[in-house]
Amino acid sequence: MPIRRRTFLKSMGASAFAAPLLLPARLWSSQDRPQQPDRRLENPFVGATFYRNVDYVAAVTAAAQRQEGRLSQQMRLVANYPTFVWMDSIAAVTGGNGYPRGLAGHLDQALEQRANAIGLVIYNLPNRDCAALASNGELHIARNGLNRYRTDYIDAIFNIIRQPRYAGLRVVMVIEPDSLPNLITNRNVGSCREASESGAYVEGVQYAISTLRSINNTYAYVDVGHAGWMGWPANFNPFVDLLKRVGAGIRGGNSKVDGFISNTANYNPFTEPYMTANQMIGGQPVRSLQGWYDWNDHIDEQSYATALRTALTRGNNAYSASVGLLLDTSRNGWGGPNRPARASAANDLRTFVRATTIDRRIHKGNWGNQDGAGIGARPVANPAANYHAFVWVKPPGESDGSSRLIPTGPENPLGRGFDRMCDPIYRGNALNGNNASGALPDAPVAGRWFQAQFVQLVQNAFPAFEPGEN
Ligand code: BGC
């Protein structure tokens, strides 16, 4: 899940959304479920019991069995929280071709768990992940990709979700991570230029929301990248215009958008607890630090996403004031022994910021399997003003991309590319200020289980996993 840049946690609401106990046996059948559609909710996370992806739970359980003692126990706790299910190909919808089950299989499992909600990621645009290589998709604009996206992917999802037996499930959808942000900053890359000039990303996103939100029990959150990508006015302002244009072209209007999600599969903190963007250190504001914030207006996700929401709910084509924010906290915890506990006393800006920020990355533009990261805040409803929820969209332990070229074959069935931002010996490019990638070694292809990363993410979780916490 690449980011690219320009030029580059809390009070819990009354009703946290909790995961159900996994039922050891089939105590209750989906046929027994009352088929009444839920009334539409402003915040679908309130009072929700989210599905725990049975395949992810199996991966976490297997991971825990490979460890011992406290770490093993902490790993098991991860499986108690819901993660989103990625519909990252047509086969992910139908099942087969390496997917243990398709969308209907997950929805059936959700009913069996007596969940009343499920998180899905809609992620299969033609020319997907146009500025990177690790998560390139199966569809291509030049090969009828937009039509196939509509008919073979979105319509297939629609035909499953709309079945009456799923009417009691709140289907919360994250719409196409990284796609619209790439149209702002990466049109110099051929595949993104094609996505932009053909209109395929905009039309694809509009079709996805128009179609899927015509079902009463679905909720759509549009991906808005993250602060370290879209935070500068040169990116932020055209992005607001683009998001409004996308909204205006949705069948039924932009009220079909329930909110926006930032930091999907990224590592950016919700807040920087020990400093502010405009705090002066040695005569210079924190946000001016070259090679780190580079005069970004927003040094954290809360600041960025809140400003974006404000801009989107004003002026022409304004979104409704009811739109809410989501934050992917699956890997933005930055705990462990290297986490600062207070602001540095240094008077030199660079020394101060690097000793004070909780984000231990080498550069904000780094995104592949970041060394030192930890799981962040647990999924919860109403964590802060204007936030509908903190969610775990990227399932912790699933790779961002391989650290070396893995040819198509058993270790790379979908023919994923090799992006050197996932290669620990790569020295970077203009998008990350020519810094080292900061990626962990020996990573499998995107989406596959990466045990060494999972170990780190659990060890560096913030808050740390405590026995009995869930
Ligand atoms: C990959 C997907 C995967 C998702 C969640 C993405 O980076 O491209 O295949 O399902 O991450 O791990």
Side-chain angles (χ1 to χ4, degrees):
M1 247 331 157
I3 68 140
R4 333 50 207 185
R5 22 127 285 179
R6 136 196 117 95
T7 44
F8 154 8
L9 288 200
K10 242 151 214 241
S11 99
M12 307 304 172
S15 44
F17 61 98
L21 290 176
L22 278 185
L23 300 177
R26 194 180 158 91
L27 301 177
W28 174 91
S29 119
S30 52
Q31 276 75 33
D32 305 13
R33 189 174 185 83
Q35 296 184 359
Q36 56 194 358
D38 219 348
R39 71 192 159 80
R40 271 216 73 81
L41 304 159
E42 190 164 303
N43 180 350
F45 293 87
V46 173
T49 300
F50 265 75
Y51 168 58
R52 286 186 294 162
N53 182 342
V54 286
D55 301 321
Y56 181 71
V57 169
V60 167
T61 305
Q65 280 164 356
R66 292 165 65 184
Q67 310 291 332
E68 288 178 346
R70 183 174 160 81
L71 178 59
S72 176
Q73 288 167 3
Q74 289 175 316
M75 284 181 169
R76 284 176 207 280
L77 294 172
V78 174
N80 291 340
Y81 295 96
T83 54
F84 276 56
V85 185
W86 288 63
M87 295 290 115
D88 62 349
S89 65
I90 293 165
V93 180
T94 58
N97 201 17
Y99 292 86
R101 71 200 81 235
L103 176 55
H106 285 291
L107 295 172
D108 290 340
Q109 288 291 323
L111 294 179
E112 201 147 327
Q113 288 177 12
R114 293 193 246 187
N116 66 357
I118 181 170
L120 299 181
V121 184
I122 304 301
Y123 189 52
N124 203 27
L125 278 173
N127 289 28
R128 186 179 75 194
D129 206 17
C130 61
L133 301 172
S135 285
N136 289 175
E138 63 191 345
L139 302 177
H140 303 275
I141 294 166
R143 283 185 256 149
N144 199 30
L146 182 57
N147 278 328
R148 290 202 61 206
Y149 179 75
R150 291 191 183 107
T151 55
D152 300 357
Y153 180 69
I154 295 295
D155 292 356
I157 294 174
F158 172 82
N159 283 323
I160 294 169
I161 295 177
R162 73 161 170 184
Q163 292 174 35
R165 67 178 187 278
Y166 305 131
L169 282 173
R170 308 170 189 178
V171 179
V172 176
M173 308 175 297
V174 164
I175 307 295
E176 296 292 353
D178 290 355
S179 60
L180 301 175
N182 267 321
L183 296 183
I184 300 297
T185 61
N186 290 319
R187 276 174 313 211
N188 59 325
V189 179
S191 179
C192 296
R193 190 182 318 121
E194 192 183 16
S196 176
E197 288 174 1
S198 66
Y201 273 14
V202 166
E203 285 175 45
V205 166
Q206 288 170 332
Y207 187 82
I209 300 172
S210 299
T211 306
L212 300 174
R213 271 290 270 104
S214 71
I215 307 169
N216 194 49
N217 52 313
T218 58
Y219 296 83
Y221 292 84
V222 175
D223 184 80
V224 295
H226 57 84
W229 186 1
M230 305 308 293
W232 296 264
N235 298 344
F236 187 96
N237 296 332
F239 192 41
V240 169
D241 293 344
L242 174 62
L243 287 167
K244 285 183 165 183
R245 185 156 63 82
V246 168
I250 294 170
R251 213 187 323 130
N254 69 9
S255 64
K256 296 289 176 184
V257 174
D258 299 283
F260 300 92
I261 178 164
S262 83
N263 198 48
T264 302
N266 210 278
Y267 298 86
N268 230 21
F270 179 54
T271 56
E272 279 291 352
Y274 309 121
M275 62 184 176
T276 60
N278 288 310
Q279 185 179 341
M280 300 298 282
I281 302 293
Q284 295 167 285
V286 158
R287 70 184 186 90
S288 71
L289 182 62
Q290 208 184 345
W292 186 246
Y293 297 129
D294 292 309
W295 292 101
N296 196 329
D297 286 334
H298 306 290
I299 67 169
D300 61 45
E301 290 303 297
Q302 184 175 31
S303 165
Y304 163 66
T306 303
L308 189 68
R309 184 185 170 284
T310 301
L312 289 169
T313 52
R314 286 188 184 156
N316 290 341
N317 288 323
Y319 282 87
S320 149
S322 66
V323 288
L325 300 171
L326 303 181
L327 179 75
D328 185 359
T329 59
S330 59
R331 304 189 302 186
N332 75 345
W334 296 109
N338 297 324
R339 181 185 174 95
R342 62 190 68 80
S344 158
N347 203 27
D348 165 70
L349 181 65
R350 185 167 303 274
T351 313
F352 172 86
V353 170
R354 293 319 308 250
T356 304
T357 172
I358 57 170
D359 182 343
R360 311 318 296 166
R361 280 179 295 184
I362 296 167
H363 189 275
K364 286 277 184 188
N366 285 353
W367 54 265
N369 302 315
Q370 291 298 287
D371 192 6
I375 291 174
R378 312 303 185 252
V380 64
N382 286 329
N386 296 314
Y387 272 82
H388 282 178
F390 287 162
V391 286
W392 288 359
V393 179
K394 178 77 182 179
E398 292 187 8
S399 175
D400 293 314
S402 61
S403 48
R404 60 185 175 78
L405 179 66
I406 299 180
T408 305
E411 298 302 315
N412 186 8
L414 300 170
R416 289 296 170 78
F418 167 45
D419 195 299
R420 294 208 65 200
M421 289 298 286
C422 301
D423 175 357
I425 65 169
Y426 184 50
R427 303 298 310 172
N429 55 41
L431 293 179
N432 79 335
N434 296 292
N435 283 285
S437 71
L440 290 169
D442 302 320
V445 296
R448 288 228 156 180
W449 191 256
F450 187 8
Q451 181 80 3
Q453 186 194 34
F454 189 60
V455 168
Q456 253 204 3
L457 287 169
V458 172
Q459 285 174 331
N460 291 338
F462 192 90
F465 284 98
E466 300 292 348
E469 69 168 56
N470 183 302

